[in-house]
Amino acid sequence: MEVPPYLMNERYDDRYFDVVNAIEEAKHVFFQGSGFMEIFSATGPGRKEFRIGETGFGAGRLLIALLDFLDDCGTTDMSISYNSVELHPVTSERMASILEGFRPKVGPLIDQLVQAYDRLELPGPGWRRIVFNRPFGVLTLNLWIGEALEMVRTLTVPCDAWFLDGHGPKKNPSIWRPELLLSIGEKTVSGGTCATYTVAGAVRRGLVAAGFSVEQCTGFGGKKSVLKGVKLPAQASE
Ligand SMILES: C[S@@+](CC[C@H](N)C(=O)[O-])C[C@H]1O[C@@H](n2cnc3c(N)ncnc32)[C@H](O)[C@@H]1O
């Protein structure tokens, strides 16, 4: 099948996402894998503050999918901190064209992100911030422009959930290197989670070394399996 050119990241010779229905894929792989259906259900445990980390912001498809998911959850007064990183930021025009296929489902969210992203001063390293006021509460995007390891080391508070969404380990081994995964483990609360679409042995071993117990789960859109992990208490993982 021919891949539309706007979905290819030529630097990594890989697509931004593998499936046509990548908003639904995000919900299956990343949100279900992170237990969000229970955590953010209106009748669930009622978390009001939550910190998410993401490796590989790309065009912000996961962020858009998360905003859409949270809007539908029925919860209110949430405060979500979404900490992401991008080494090679796309332009706002390219972001819009990558996200174009999702416009029928999440058009207003795409417009909100693209307009706010367009106002960021992208060149130069460091944090950028966009605040989304939504029916569920507030989500603050903290976007680090630079290398993933720098971003993770800069975090002062550990995350409750990580979305590992760099390109696949064959195309982009740097975003899966053990040093980075170890650092992610250090910046995850005990009982916190990680989720990713790759089940590669090196990724599984890296996450286990970083203190996660990992489990393969049913995949989505033709992918047989995906991975989720739970951070073990410090003494159990030593
Ligand atoms: C698969 S795309 C991300 C897709 C994105 N999460 C989305 O939902 O649209 C992976 C991204 O990781 C970025 N990236 C690759 N290596 C990186 C690194 N070492 N540090 C930070 N970002 C990196 C790439 O530039 C690319 O934009």
Side-chain angles (χ1 to χ4, degrees):
M1 193 181 70
E2 201 164 316
V3 182
Y6 49 83
L7 289 181
M8 278 307 283
N9 186 334
E10 277 154 20
R11 193 185 302 270
Y12 293 97
D13 185 30
D14 200 9
R15 302 181 210 194
Y16 278 91
F17 17 80
D18 258 345
V19 295
V20 177
N21 200 342
I23 296 286
E24 290 308 312
E25 183 220 29
K27 291 177 187 170
H28 178 87
V29 178
F30 293 97
F31 309 161
Q32 200 165 307
S34 309
F36 283 5
M37 279 57 184
E38 295 77 37
I39 294 170
F40 295 122
S41 108
T43 53
R47 288 287 299 266
K48 289 296 176 197
E49 287 188 14
F50 202 83
R51 300 182 68 85
I52 294 169
E54 178 189 42
T55 51
F57 182 70
R61 177 257 330 198
L62 271 186
L63 172 64
I64 293 281
L66 180 68
L67 290 166
D68 182 52
F69 168 78
L70 291 171
D71 277 350
D72 287 346
C73 273
T75 53
T76 52
D77 302 323
M78 294 287 312
S79 174
I80 312 258
S81 163
Y82 191 97
N83 304 285
S84 190
V85 59
E86 181 51 58
L87 186 55
H88 306 291
V90 292
T91 62
S92 54
E93 291 78 16
R94 179 133 170 84
M95 172 184 272
S97 74
I98 292 170
L99 297 174
E100 184 58 31
F102 310 123
R103 189 159 280 286
K105 169 138 181 65
V106 288
L109 286 172
I110 294 172
D111 290 338
Q112 198 180 348
L113 173 63
V114 171
Q115 281 162 22
Y117 182 85
D118 186 56
R119 288 193 291 269
L120 297 178
E121 301 252 338
L122 280 179
W127 290 112
R128 311 291 188 274
R129 174 172 293 189
I130 298 176
V131 177
F132 295 86
N133 287 295
R134 304 292 311 170
F136 63 80
V138 178
L139 181 147
T140 304
L141 164 66
N142 300 305
L143 176 60
W144 180 268
I145 303 298
E147 159 60 38
L149 185 59
E150 291 167 5
M151 173 278 218
V152 178
R153 287 186 172 158
T154 304
L155 291 178
T156 51
V157 183
C159 290
D160 298 291
W162 279 93
F163 304 155
L164 307 179
D165 196 23
H167 293 289
K170 281 199 183 131
K171 304 278 185 176
N172 183 23
S174 85
I175 210 158
W176 304 102
R177 63 196 193 276
E179 186 190 16
L180 174 56
L181 297 182
L182 279 176
S183 199
I184 287 172
E186 283 163 16
K187 295 292 168 73
T188 308
V189 299
S190 175
T193 59
C194 64
T196 182
Y197 51 81
T198 178
V199 294
V203 170
R204 281 183 292 160
R205 288 189 292 278
L207 289 172
V208 168
F212 292 91
S213 72
V214 296
E215 185 189 337
Q216 278 186 216
C217 317
T218 315
F220 182 93
K223 195 155 194 331
K224 210 168 130 213
S225 31
V226 294
L227 203 65
K228 68 178 185 183
V230 177
K231 179 78 193 306
L232 299 168
Q235 62 275 28
S237 60
E238 275 162 9

